[in-house]
Amino acid sequence: MIEFIHLSKNYGTKQALKELTLTIEQGEIFGFLGHNGAGKSTTIKSLVSIIEPTSGTIRVDGTELRNNRMEIKRKIGYVPDSPDIFLQLTAGEYWDLISAAYELDKEEKETRLAELTALFDMNVHREETLASFSHGMRQKTILIGTLLPDPDIWVLDEPLQGLDPQAAYDLKEMMKAHAAKGKTVIFSTHVLDTAQQLCDKIAILKKGELIYQGEVSDLLQGSPNESLETIYLKMAGRQAAGELHG
């Protein structure tokens, strides 16, 4: 279980996240939805210890993140919102780096790596640098690194962006299978159809504030014959604040 308790993040006078309180249970695919600047990445980066919140608490399985970062990091696999990192490394060197960080057994690592590189069609690109890859290939490289240690908690920030249809389908199937094992998948997306298809629960953020948390099915049942996209735009889009004409 992951708990965000009164989490806030300020950048000078700008408040990027305002008193966020929500709980993510094990066995869930949990989606963060919101416009650019809504606070999705701030929340995710706080969980993976890239950002230090201004105030509030994050707990993972009852353990407070602030005082137990290394213990909790080992439970988490993270895909950032941009794959443009470690560009000077080859794909193989990047995967070696991740394996060392998680202290993976060599045999276990090679078995997992063979499976993942075959799935994402990356097995012949091991000696090529990330700098030479397209956006989609960099995304696949980062994904493989994230999934390599088979962490309990997957934290995926716009993970489908740039993936070809086959890779996107395979990742979505893996997300479902991971949650079915009682593990946790957290991801953010701008693609509302994907959120409707995958998520058990969602949180909708607007300008740093939580405006909805709950099951996707409940949201849809409350507005019969409407898609999640339409419901979302009514809640978080221009029309929600009367901004379209004034």
Side-chain angles (χ1 to χ4, degrees):
M1 183 170 69
I2 299 167
E3 301 167 276
F4 299 90
I5 305 166
H6 300 300
L7 202 70
S8 295
K9 178 60 181 178
N10 301 334
Y11 294 98
T13 57
K14 180 183 177 183
Q15 195 166 22
L17 204 59
K18 304 174 185 178
E19 293 282 327
L20 175 69
T21 296
L22 63 84
T23 298
I24 301 172
E25 302 286 349
Q26 288 179 302
E28 288 183 345
I29 300 180
F30 192 98
F32 281 101
L33 308 181
H35 286 24
N36 292 337
K40 305 185 305 296
S41 288
T42 298
T43 304
I44 283 173
K45 288 177 180 177
S46 296
L47 175 60
V48 300
S49 296
I50 291 175
I51 286 175
E52 178 66 28
T54 303
S55 60
T57 301
I58 299 174
R59 293 196 188 107
V60 177
D61 297 332
T63 301
E64 190 168 336
L65 175 62
R66 184 179 291 109
N67 301 321
N68 301 276
R69 293 196 187 277
M70 291 309 297
E71 175 190 342
I72 290 172
K73 278 183 178 182
R74 289 183 180 277
K75 297 181 178 183
I76 294 174
Y78 170 57
V79 173
D81 53 357
S82 170
D84 298 333
I85 56 175
F86 297 102
L87 298 183
Q88 74 279 13
L89 298 182
T90 66
E93 288 170 340
Y94 177 72
W95 297 327
D96 288 344
L97 177 65
I98 297 297
S99 299
Y102 283 86
E103 299 179 337
L104 295 185
D105 173 83
K106 184 177 180 180
E107 185 176 339
E108 177 190 3
K109 171 212 166 186
E110 290 302 329
T111 299
R112 288 276 299 164
L113 195 55
E115 293 171 354
L116 291 166
T117 54
L119 181 67
F120 288 109
D121 293 323
M122 289 293 291
N123 47 354
V124 298
H125 301 291
R126 193 164 180 162
E127 302 306 318
E128 300 170 28
T129 64
L130 273 74
S132 70
F133 289 163
S134 66
H135 179 95
M137 288 176 67
R138 289 178 190 175
Q139 188 78 346
K140 288 181 182 182
T141 303
I142 303 303
L143 272 169
I144 290 168
T146 299
L147 304 181
L148 192 56
D150 195 22
D152 287 346
I153 302 166
W154 295 2
V155 181
L156 315 175
D157 200 348
E158 296 285 349
L160 303 173
Q161 190 170 288
L163 293 182
D164 58 71
Q166 183 65 60
Y169 174 83
D170 290 337
L171 178 58
K172 287 187 283 188
E173 291 301 302
M174 292 178 75
M175 291 164 69
K176 293 175 188 175
H178 193 66
K181 292 188 292 186
K183 307 297 180 66
T184 306
V185 178
I186 300 168
F187 81 111
S188 70
T189 182
H190 288 296
V191 183
L192 279 299
D193 286 346
T194 299
Q196 184 171 342
Q197 175 190 2
L198 284 178
C199 293
D200 300 301
K201 293 181 183 175
I202 58 171
I204 300 176
L205 299 174
K206 183 175 183 179
K207 297 180 180 178
E209 294 189 69
L210 180 68
I211 62 173
Y212 178 81
Q213 178 198 358
E215 295 186 12
V216 176
S217 58
D218 289 345
L219 204 57
L220 294 171
Q221 286 172 9
S223 300
N225 304 317
E226 290 193 279
S227 67
L228 180 59
E229 180 180 38
T230 303
I231 297 167
Y232 164 79
L233 289 173
K234 285 182 177 179
M235 296 176 70
R238 286 193 299 266
Q239 294 154 327
E243 298 166 8
L244 194 58
H245 300 292

